[in-house]
Amino acid sequence: MFQAFAHVRLKVRPSGTSIPNPSKRIETLRPTHPSDPEVIMTSLAPPEIKTRSINDKPLPVKIATTLALAALADWLFYDQRLGLSVIIFAAALASASLFINLGNLDYRRLLLAGTILLAGLLPAIEEFNAASLAIVVLALGAALMLTTNHHLDGLAAGASSLLDLYLVGPFRLFQDAISAFNWPVLTRGFTLWCVPLVLGSLFILLFVAANPLLAKWIGQLNPGDPSSYLSISRTLFWIAALALVWPFIQVKWRSNTELADPRRQFAANDPPRAAEITNLLSVGTVLRSLILFNLLFSIQTILDLIYLWGNGTLPADVTYASYAHRGAYPLIVTALLAAGFVLVTMRPGGSAERSRAMRALVYVWIGQNVLLVISSMLRLDLYVQIYLLTYWRISAFIWMLLVVSGLVLILARIVLQRSNDWLIRTNLLALTIVLYTCSLVNFAAIIADYNISHSREASGNGVNLDIDYLVRLGPQALPAIDRGLALHAFDPILVYHRNCLVKEQRERMVSWRSWGFRNWRLQRMLDRQQGSAAS
């Protein structure tokens, strides 16, 4: 009260006297009696200015924009092939984000952000693939960050902001939706189940993609009413679209101090950020996630034990080949997501790692993931036995071995209570050993020998030999081709391609610059064959 009076000047004037300096805010106390002077209180404080929120558009406009973008994503992407639609949606998302956050733009960086966005769209315009999609995603995030993040002051801050946008941002939709109703109990309950339900839904989608039995059972849950366009997959698509679009509409960035000192994210005196991170990955959330994930994984594990390892009888409309082949690659993605979740939640010395119950659940879950990866290897082996071997399938085998090794090392880190640096070093060591070993292996000769030995022409079972792929393996396939020619009748097409590969091999050995020990050994074998034929 005394501080308020320090900024107030009391001036007594006779009634009816004009008041100078009308730009100042003047409050007049009317006299209670006509003979009393008029008391004029003139504040020296500046006029009150109405502040505008960082996100100046009202909430209904943001919600309507988000729903419109989700509807556009449904029309462009759902059950459609990707291509030009990605560029159209990226442009629409950037335009909508620009309109919604118009009051918070850094106009000095606007031209740079537009240039980055345009450059990021060019590879997708030329050819849409995984690399061009990644560039589009990075360009969208960089453009949004440059125009709306006023705390950006370096490359490290930019990388942290992009991670915050794409990893934490999608989960803000659920927290903002609940917080809008101001229901503390419901908000806490939803936060505890947000991560388990979202990741659980993702695991269900991967299991359905990997297991035709699950796809059949879940498909039966949908009545298939022609008058309704809703389905489980479409509902999940809408949820994912809304969650991914919302961070571009409701923009939130962390400050420099939070980026420089990660401990501030969990400080008690910073409740909005602490609630955003710690509530999503609290002990209760991790416990519920592990229980739910173990239950979901146990379904896939039991089905594999019955039908894959136990050779159980499948339903009439599900073939054994489809059951074995569909699950090879989606289950690897599932195991990688599980490994990432364990690394994020089971931090060394954290409360989750100190809990015996959660450690036991993690052990069981990692064990189920190892079994799933081994089942994927068996599925791929069964598929190779029918459709022969390729470079891609060998790479898949090697990748699965690395995933199993990584899961075992994660388990070892938790049991031995080692740091994440130890885990990174051991994984890099394992990767180096595998890469070095692979550099010494003649995969072309292995593929050619396996495909010729297991082809229909040689064994009477399986598929016909793919001669075009055999030729693409190069001259190292010549020993296997010679064995194949000795196994079955004269094949003029194979003989012609064999002579072409011999010519290619001799051209390689003309110059010493292209000399290699493997090629030298192959050339010696060809010279011996030519000498034997001449004699």
Side-chain angles (χ1 to χ4, degrees):
M1 183 175 64
F2 288 108
Q3 292 176 353
F5 273 101
H7 295 283
V8 176
R9 179 166 58 89
L10 297 181
K11 190 172 183 179
V12 180
R13 289 182 178 273
S15 180
T17 307
S18 62
I19 303 171
N21 197 4
S23 62
K24 298 180 181 180
R25 290 187 294 124
I26 303 171
E27 297 180 6
T28 303
L29 299 181
R30 296 296 178 184
T32 58
H33 191 272
S35 61
D36 294 337
E38 198 175 47
V39 180
I40 302 163
M41 302 177 63
T42 304
S43 174
L44 298 180
E48 183 179 357
I49 300 175
K50 184 178 180 181
T51 60
R52 185 170 58 177
S53 174
I54 292 178
N55 298 305
D56 56 349
K57 294 297 185 294
L59 184 61
V61 176
K62 297 179 182 179
I63 294 175
T65 305
T66 305
L67 291 174
L69 288 171
L72 179 63
D74 179 87
W75 179 64
L76 290 174
F77 302 139
Y78 185 77
D79 202 20
Q80 303 290 335
R81 295 178 65 87
L82 300 180
L84 183 62
S85 56
V86 175
I87 292 94
I88 296 174
F89 183 77
L93 180 60
S95 302
S97 180
L98 179 68
F99 168 72
I100 293 296
N101 301 285
L102 200 60
N104 188 39
L105 294 180
D106 188 346
Y107 291 94
R108 296 172 301 174
R109 300 174 179 172
L110 192 58
L111 180 60
L112 176 61
T115 305
I116 291 175
L117 181 60
L118 180 60
L121 294 179
L122 289 179
I125 295 175
E126 169 67 23
E127 172 67 22
F128 178 80
N129 48 44
S132 60
L133 176 61
I135 293 174
V136 169
V137 172
L138 290 176
L140 282 171
L144 180 69
M145 177 180 62
L146 287 172
T147 53
T148 59
N149 188 358
H150 301 288
H151 305 294
L152 188 64
D153 59 356
L155 185 61
S160 299
S161 298
L162 285 178
L163 290 176
D164 181 73
L165 175 65
Y166 287 118
L167 297 183
V168 180
F171 295 101
R172 292 195 183 116
L173 171 67
F174 310 104
Q175 283 191 331
D176 291 345
I178 295 301
S179 300
F181 295 95
N182 196 20
W183 295 342
V185 177
L186 183 59
T187 302
R188 180 178 179 274
F190 184 84
T191 303
L192 288 174
W193 283 102
C194 176
V195 172
L197 292 177
V198 172
L199 290 182
S201 301
L202 182 58
F203 286 138
I204 290 175
L205 290 177
L206 290 171
F207 286 147
V208 170
N211 196 323
L213 285 178
L214 292 176
K216 176 185 176 182
W217 295 340
I218 292 182
Q220 291 175 352
L221 297 177
N222 184 17
D225 184 6
S227 62
S228 176
Y229 62 91
L230 294 177
S231 63
I232 295 177
S233 59
R234 196 162 204 157
T235 303
L236 293 175
F237 176 86
W238 269 79
I239 294 174
L242 291 171
L244 292 173
V245 167
W246 184 248
F248 288 84
I249 304 302
Q250 181 74 2
V251 179
K252 294 180 181 179
W253 299 108
R254 290 181 291 173
S255 62
N256 292 339
T257 52
E258 290 172 325
L259 292 172
D261 188 2
R263 292 174 297 180
R264 287 182 55 85
Q265 302 173 30
F266 306 97
N269 58 352
D270 194 7
R273 294 301 176 187
E276 184 176 345
I277 303 297
T278 57
N279 288 346
L280 284 176
L281 298 177
S282 63
V283 175
T285 301
V286 175
L287 180 62
R288 287 163 174 79
S289 300
L290 291 173
I291 294 174
L292 179 61
F293 298 163
N294 271 295
L295 291 175
L296 292 177
F297 276 59
S298 64
I299 297 174
Q300 179 66 36
T301 302
I302 292 172
L303 290 176
D304 279 347
L305 291 175
I306 294 175
Y307 296 107
L308 190 63
W309 298 95
N311 296 323
T313 304
L314 290 167
D317 55 346
V318 179
T319 63
Y320 193 77
S322 65
Y323 185 86
H325 174 58
R326 282 183 57 176
Y329 302 115
L331 292 181
I332 296 299
V333 178
T334 303
L336 291 174
L337 288 175
F341 179 82
V342 172
L343 287 177
V344 171
T345 56
M346 302 296 289
R347 295 185 298 272
S351 56
E353 192 181 50
R354 292 195 300 268
S355 173
R356 291 185 178 180
M358 281 190 281
R359 286 168 66 95
L361 289 171
V362 167
Y363 297 157
V364 174
W365 195 34
I366 292 178
Q368 290 196 77
N369 277 279
V370 171
L371 182 59
L372 284 179
V373 177
I374 296 175
S375 298
S376 299
M377 298 175 69
L378 177 61
R379 292 167 186 263
L380 187 57
D381 179 66
L382 295 173
Y383 188 77
V384 166
Q385 291 179 18
I386 299 175
Y387 298 103
L388 304 182
L389 199 58
T390 62
Y391 272 118
W392 175 256
R393 289 160 195 166
I394 287 182
S395 302
F397 274 120
I398 297 172
W399 176 246
M400 292 175 186
L401 287 175
L402 287 173
V403 172
V404 170
S405 173
L407 290 171
V408 173
L409 289 174
I410 290 175
L411 185 63
R413 185 197 71 76
I414 298 174
V415 174
L416 301 177
Q417 297 182 352
R418 298 298 181 93
S419 63
N420 283 334
D421 291 337
W422 175 88
L423 181 63
I424 293 173
R425 289 195 301 269
T426 51
N427 275 285
L428 288 177
L429 178 62
L431 179 61
T432 303
I433 293 173
V434 170
L435 290 177
Y436 188 81
T437 304
C438 291
S439 67
L440 300 175
V441 177
N442 190 349
F443 288 111
I446 293 174
I447 294 172
D449 185 70
Y450 183 91
N451 289 353
I452 290 177
S453 302
H454 294 79
S455 63
R456 183 183 295 274
E457 292 85 351
S459 62
N461 298 319
V463 297
N464 294 324
L465 181 64
D466 189 350
I467 297 179
D468 292 335
Y469 185 78
L470 195 66
V471 173
R472 290 200 301 270
L473 293 175
Q476 295 297 328
L478 283 171
I481 292 176
D482 291 339
R483 285 191 293 271
L485 289 174
L487 287 176
H488 54 85
F490 178 78
D491 188 345
I493 298 178
L494 190 57
V495 171
Y496 170 76
H497 286 296
R498 190 256 182 200
N499 293 334
C500 292
L501 290 176
V502 171
K503 181 180 178 182
E504 180 182 347
Q505 169 63 20
R506 295 191 185 280
E507 291 176 353
R508 289 184 179 182
M509 299 300 295
V510 169
S511 174
W512 60 269
R513 293 178 176 83
S514 60
W515 187 91
F517 187 53
R518 185 177 297 171
N519 289 331
W520 177 77
R521 295 198 308 269
L522 177 61
Q523 187 61 45
R524 287 191 61 189
M525 186 204 73
L526 294 176
D527 292 341
R528 286 196 301 267
Q529 286 181 350
Q530 186 177 5
S532 300
S535 61

